[in-house]
Amino acid sequence: MPETLDAPKAQAGGRKHEKFEHLLARAQRHPPLVTAVVHPCDAVSLDSAVEAARLRLIEPILVGPAARLAELAAAAKLDISPFEQVDSAHSHDSAAKAVELVRAGRAEALMKGSLHTDELMGAVVARDTGIRTERRISHCFIMDVPGHPSPLVVTDAAVNINPTLEDKIHIVQNAIDMALVLTEQKGEGVVKVAVLSAMETVNPKVPSTLEAAALCKMVDRGQIKGALIDGPLALDNAISPEAAAIKGIVSPVAGHANVLVVPDLEAGNMLAKCMSFLADADAAGIVLGARVPIILTSRADAKLTRLASCAVASLLGAARRTTAAIV
């Protein structure tokens, strides 16, 4: 990472975060992503936008009540004078005005501030004024797990509560498209998708195993493109070559998956939080399927995690400038 940018070398428990730091370094090779920062009306949200701008990850447009932003900036000793500001009356107004910036072609991404996620997503999916596409909107966690050789993508753990098979087609394709941008390797089979269940055999009594089998067949028929996919797979034989070998699973995905598709939001949320709280993993978050990437962070996230989410959006934005396939 360029030393002149004084990028954070954050550590927790003494460990380094090479995967996320590498994402930041890659994103800094591209022009900053023009990002509407939606209602950054607390110190953490505003500081994150300022820091991401300092590292040239984003070029923020601050959308929120001007007086409140000025008050926060003064209290936190943050200089927001270089940034464009769009005054708003309240959080719902901030969300609507930020989405309008995207519709007008003035913003390449959205970044959640201190408003509720439902407020932001409500503006995103609004029938007449939103920024939906033909794709189902979905969320990906990009997990930096200590000891694991590469980032793990977990989807969907934040948006789709109980997705149907039709929803999962979009969830899987969104994740594949993102993973293809994030990986620096080229060639067929770089992205390996495991469709998770509690078992690795198809069981008519367990609907997630039937959906996993259907998704795999859709890949064979070209309905889902860009990755190798296998399922159903239990978590252990999706990410552990030893576990896959013990079960006798012969698959280029088993033991080597870098995208994990969960059955529903509850399973995904538990998986991501187990990684975070029991394995000391960091989790960057991004929403896909809208016209632009949406940086979705929590106020509890560490600064490096927030910046990594910006870096992911920046890389997606850079890819969108050269192809219309990335959504």
Side-chain angles (χ1 to χ4, degrees):
M1 190 172 297
E3 290 297 327
T4 55
L5 293 176
D6 191 28
K9 298 291 185 180
Q11 295 187 4
R15 82 173 181 90
K16 295 182 179 180
H17 300 247
E18 292 92 346
K19 301 182 191 75
F20 276 5
E21 290 172 3
H22 185 62
L23 277 178
L24 265 67
R26 286 185 58 205
Q28 287 170 338
R29 300 171 195 161
H30 300 284
L33 188 70
V34 180
T35 302
V37 185
V38 190
H39 208 71
C41 291
D42 64 6
V44 172
S45 300
L46 194 57
D47 178 69
S48 297
V50 172
E51 181 69 1
R54 187 183 71 82
L55 296 177
R56 294 186 52 78
L57 299 172
I58 68 171
E59 179 184 324
I61 302 174
L62 305 179
V63 186
R68 177 61 176 152
L69 293 178
E71 178 186 338
L72 275 170
K77 295 182 172 58
L78 297 171
D79 181 11
I80 60 173
S81 61
F83 310 135
E84 180 180 352
Q85 296 183 44
V86 175
D87 190 23
S88 67
H90 43 67
S91 56
H92 281 88
D93 191 35
S94 297
K97 287 181 174 176
V99 167
E100 180 54 35
L101 289 171
V102 173
R103 289 174 60 89
R106 296 194 54 224
E108 300 175 280
L110 296 174
M111 180 176 179
K112 177 181 174 289
S114 58
L115 76 173
H116 290 294
T117 299
D118 287 348
E119 292 180 87
L120 174 57
M121 296 310 298
V124 167
V125 302
R127 182 178 298 275
D128 297 323
T129 58
I131 51 172
R132 299 190 72 163
T133 68
E134 72 281 359
R135 291 275 186 92
R136 178 81 179 180
I137 288 175
S138 62
H139 179 273
C140 286
F141 277 122
I142 300 91
M143 311 289 301
D144 179 352
V145 184
H148 199 75
S150 61
L152 283 172
V153 174
V154 176
T155 190
D156 181 338
V159 172
N160 293 281
I161 297 172
N162 190 26
T164 64
L165 175 59
E166 184 176 5
D167 295 335
K168 288 181 179 179
I169 298 170
H170 297 273
I171 290 169
V172 171
Q173 192 66 68
N174 285 344
I176 290 171
D177 289 349
M178 183 197 67
L180 287 170
V181 171
L182 295 188
T183 182
E184 292 180 284
Q185 302 178 33
K186 304 298 179 185
E188 187 177 349
V190 169
V191 178
K192 298 179 174 65
V193 179
V195 186
L196 298 182
S197 184
M199 59 197 70
E200 64 279 353
T201 54
V202 178
N203 185 333
K205 295 180 180 179
V206 184
S208 61
T209 67
L210 298 175
E211 292 182 343
L215 290 167
C216 292
K217 183 52 66 175
M218 289 177 185
V219 172
D220 294 342
R221 296 292 185 264
Q223 293 170 265
I224 300 172
K225 300 177 181 179
L228 298 177
I229 185 169
D230 199 1
L233 290 171
L235 177 62
D236 57 346
N237 46 57
I239 61 175
S240 167
E242 293 80 9
I246 289 171
K247 288 292 184 72
I249 302 172
V250 179
S251 162
V253 174
H256 304 283
N258 46 30
V259 175
L260 305 176
V261 179
V262 297
D264 54 35
L265 182 145
E266 291 176 309
N269 189 275
M270 293 175 194
L271 174 58
K273 287 183 177 176
C274 279
M275 290 183 184
S276 295
F277 287 92
L278 297 180
D280 196 26
D282 297 311
I286 199 83
V287 171
L288 308 166
R291 291 189 195 176
V292 297
I294 302 169
I295 303 162
L296 199 63
T297 58
S298 165
R299 281 172 284 183
D301 286 343
K303 179 177 285 190
L304 180 63
T305 299
R306 288 172 162 270
L307 295 173
S309 299
C310 293
V312 171
S314 176
L315 292 170
L316 291 172
R320 286 177 60 89
R321 296 181 191 119
T322 57
T323 175
I326 304 301
V327 297

